[in-house]
Amino acid sequence: MKIKISLSVVLLLFTANLFSQTIADLKLKAKEIPKSYTLSDGNNCVSVQACTFYNDIETYSNIVGTVKSKAMQSFKSNADRGSIMYFEFDHVFKGDRFLQGLLWGKNGQPSDEHPEEYLVKGKFLIIWSFRPDSPVKEKSETKIDAILQ
C-alpha cells in the first residue's frame, strides 16, 4: 500500500512539473546564449516552412490543436543564424505527422535544405530552425530536455 502511494505521489509531482512550465521557462536567457551570438528581431528561419507554420498557426489549428501561446527567439552570429519557435497548446499537440510533412516534405526527416528539428512534450512544441551543428540549438535542446523531462 505504501509503495502504491509513494509511486502515485512521484507520478503526480512529475506531471505537475511538466504542466507548470511556461514558454518563458523554456526560452534562452541572455546569460545562456553563446558569446558569439546576439538576439535579432524578426525571424531567421533556415527554410520558410517553419516560419510560415509559426506565423499562420491558427490556419492549422484544426489539424494540430489550438495554441494557447507562442513565442520566437531569433539569433545570429558571423557563422550562423536561426530561430527557435515555442508553442504551448490548450491540449496535447496532435499534429506530429502533419508537421513532419510540412517541414520536411516526402523525405520525412531533416535535410540540408530543411534542417529544422522539433520536440513535442505534452502541450509543448519547440521547433529549432538552425543548421545541425549550431551551438545555440544545442544549448536550447539541453535546457529544454532538462526542464521537460
Side-chain angles (χ1 to χ4, degrees):
M1 183 70 172
K2 287 183 182 182
I3 293 173
K4 243 184 190 179
I5 293 171
S6 297
L7 186 57
S8 297
V9 169
V10 169
L11 185 58
L12 180 63
L13 290 174
F14 172 75
T15 305
N17 185 43
L18 178 62
F19 293 108
S20 67
Q21 302 304 321
T22 66
I23 287 177
D25 299 325
L26 304 177
K27 293 172 79 173
L28 289 175
K29 310 292 185 254
K31 66 183 180 197
E32 298 169 321
I33 299 169
K35 295 199 185 307
S36 62
Y37 287 84
T38 58
L39 281 167
S40 63
D41 293 331
N43 72 62
N44 289 336
C45 291
V46 176
S47 61
V48 69
Q49 289 82 357
C51 280
T52 299
F53 181 75
Y54 179 85
N55 292 330
D56 297 334
I57 188 69
E58 291 78 18
T59 303
Y60 308 111
S61 64
N62 63 333
I63 300 169
V64 299
T66 305
V67 172
K68 181 177 177 181
S69 61
K70 67 179 186 175
M72 179 185 291
Q73 285 185 301
S74 294
F75 303 89
K76 63 181 177 179
S77 73
N78 289 337
D80 188 25
R81 54 183 249 136
S83 295
I84 306 169
M85 289 150 273
Y86 307 88
F87 303 89
E88 182 180 4
F89 291 83
D90 284 335
H91 303 286
V92 173
F93 176 75
K94 61 181 183 176
D96 199 46
R97 301 282 295 162
F98 169 77
L99 187 58
Q100 290 173 8
L102 180 71
L103 294 177
W104 307 318
K106 292 179 189 176
N107 195 18
Q109 60 187 3
S111 65
D112 289 341
E113 188 177 351
H114 300 283
E116 283 77 15
E117 294 183 30
Y118 70 91
L119 172 73
V120 175
K121 277 286 198 193
K123 299 190 299 184
F124 291 98
L125 165 67
I126 297 88
I127 300 174
W128 293 276
S129 184
F130 286 90
R131 298 286 171 210
D133 59 348
S134 172
V136 170
K137 179 179 149 280
E138 290 174 16
K139 191 75 129 170
S140 173
E141 285 177 327
T142 300
K143 178 179 182 170
I144 289 170
D145 282 345
I147 292 173
L148 297 180
Q149 314 179 21

